[in-house]
Amino acid sequence: MKTPPRDLDPVAIASTLGAQWGINDATLTYLPLGFGSHHWLAKAPVATWFVTIDDLRSEDASQSPEVAYRRLASALDAAGQLRDRAGLTFVVAPVVAASGDVLVRITEHFSAAVYPHLDIAPTEFGEFRNPEDHLEALGLVGHIHNASTSIDTGALRRDTLVIPDRDSLLDAMASLDRPWRAGPYAEPARNLLMALADALQRKLVCFDSLVASVPTDVAEWVVTHGEPHAGNIVRTGAGELVVVDWDTVAVAPRERDLWTLVTESNLDWQAYREVTGVESISEPLMDAYRLHWDLWEIAIYVAWCRRPHERTEEMAIAWESLQGYLASR
């Protein structure tokens, strides 16, 4: 996120870092990175750390902070297993706290994870600009999928392709005849949704049809990262390609990862095939995951525009993103 949470005292972060990771007397600097978690740089006298803080109050109203915490903890634990049990050294997993956990509650609503600080250039969501990075990323994802039998996946979420905020989105579509007064982006969002309501409805119908192609044989599912794009597979200053941001790990069809890597502009997935031996991927399932991403993003940003808000950097990004996702084919 671009700004720190208003209802989390940095003193509480510093106290948790000292008690759980022995990181004392650290200077905390907020890092305006990504669009989900909050990040700080913790510079202590002996080392520097990358701290990720997650707000456990999910966009999904049916998910309590406790459920959100358990899901996130199991995902980050899987990353640690991939690194330590499966020997995937390119996995950047959290540092274990004094409690033995990789994720620690700071308050009821916030959790913390600590990572080694890496020398990497900031990157963003999207396709790889460097073809060599793209090919190597395909291989890394193949190794992650191959390691599924090497770790304990019992606590990991099984992906369902459910859109968590779908009911909220449908409610918004049913409320277009009344003004939205929640903030500066409310009425623009309503007007945009009115103009593109038919196209959005077609997307939902198409998505529901595609979901029917999800394999019923879960024995073929693998451990997936969830978002293996250019913002999360990055090259360090030492030249190593590493995989970061493991909060969306789930057991799922391999297409959950591959749709971001096998695109219209780059259909070559030979590097993945060589690592895994897989000879075919499901195009309908790839399309389902592409649409799932778009529809979930739309649902999130519509919900943001309907709830009380101000003109902030996050809301500006949400509004721009909403326009892009609604206009996409």
Side-chain angles (χ1 to χ4, degrees), residues 15-33:
S15 176
T16 301
L17 292 178
Q20 289 292 336
W21 285 279
I23 302 173
N24 297 299
D25 302 319
T27 300
L28 293 176
T29 303
Y30 189 76
L31 303 174
L33 303 173

Side-chain angles (χ1 to χ4, degrees), residues 42 114 265:
V114 171
S265 61

Side-chain angles (χ1 to χ4, degrees), residues 159-161 209-217 221 253 282 284-285 288-289:
D159 188 61
T160 61
L161 271 172
S209 176
L210 288 168
V211 168
S213 68
V214 175
T216 56
D217 184 6
W221 290 14
S282 167
L285 193 47
Y289 274 107

Side-chain angles (χ1 to χ4, degrees), residues 4-226:
R6 296 180 178 179
D7 53 345
L8 179 61
D9 189 341
V11 172
I13 300 175
S15 176
T16 301
L17 292 178
Q20 289 292 336
W21 285 279
I23 302 173
N24 297 299
D25 302 319
T27 300
L28 293 176
T29 303
Y30 189 76
L31 303 174
L33 303 173
F35 207 61
S37 302
H38 297 274
H39 305 287
W40 274 264
L41 189 70
K43 190 171 184 180
V46 295
T48 301
W49 307 91
F50 185 79
V51 181
T52 294
I53 306 295
D54 280 280
D55 190 334
L56 301 173
R57 291 165 289 193
S58 172
E59 298 291 341
D60 180 4
S62 66
Q63 181 173 284
S64 68
E66 186 58 37
V67 170
Y69 172 80
R70 290 199 302 269
R71 286 188 175 181
L72 181 55
S74 66
L76 299 185
D77 180 69
Q81 291 188 61
L82 288 169
R83 180 194 61 197
D84 301 332
R85 288 193 190 180
L88 303 185
T89 57
F90 59 82
V91 172
V92 180
V95 178
V96 177
S99 64
D101 302 313
V102 292
L103 188 69
V104 173
R105 297 284 276 271
I106 302 176
T107 68
E108 179 186 359
H109 294 144
F110 290 99
S111 64
V114 171
Y115 299 82
H117 179 252
L118 299 177
D119 176 22
I120 57 175
T123 55
E124 296 292 340
F125 171 81
E127 297 186 25
F128 292 88
R129 297 181 180 179
N130 185 329
E132 293 180 357
D133 288 352
H134 176 257
L135 291 175
E136 189 173 345
L138 279 163
L140 297 187
V141 170
H143 286 298
I144 293 167
H145 292 179
N146 284 349
S148 299
T149 57
S150 301
I151 68 172
D152 179 7
T153 61
L156 274 180
R157 179 174 66 87
R158 266 56 181 171
D159 188 61
T160 61
L161 271 172
V162 168
I163 302 168
D165 301 300
R166 182 168 182 158
D167 287 345
S168 175
L169 178 60
L170 295 177
D171 179 70
M173 293 173 69
S175 305
L176 296 175
D177 59 337
R178 301 183 297 276
W180 295 357
R181 305 296 192 192
Y185 294 100
E187 273 294 270
R190 184 178 74 92
N191 291 330
L192 180 65
L193 207 56
M194 278 197 297
L196 298 174
D198 290 344
L200 177 56
Q201 183 60 44
R202 287 194 296 271
K203 283 185 179 183
L204 287 165
V205 171
C206 179
F207 172 73
D208 289 339
S209 176
L210 288 168
V211 168
S213 68
V214 175
T216 56
D217 184 6
V218 297
E220 298 297 321
W221 290 14
V222 296
V223 171
T224 58
H225 177 279

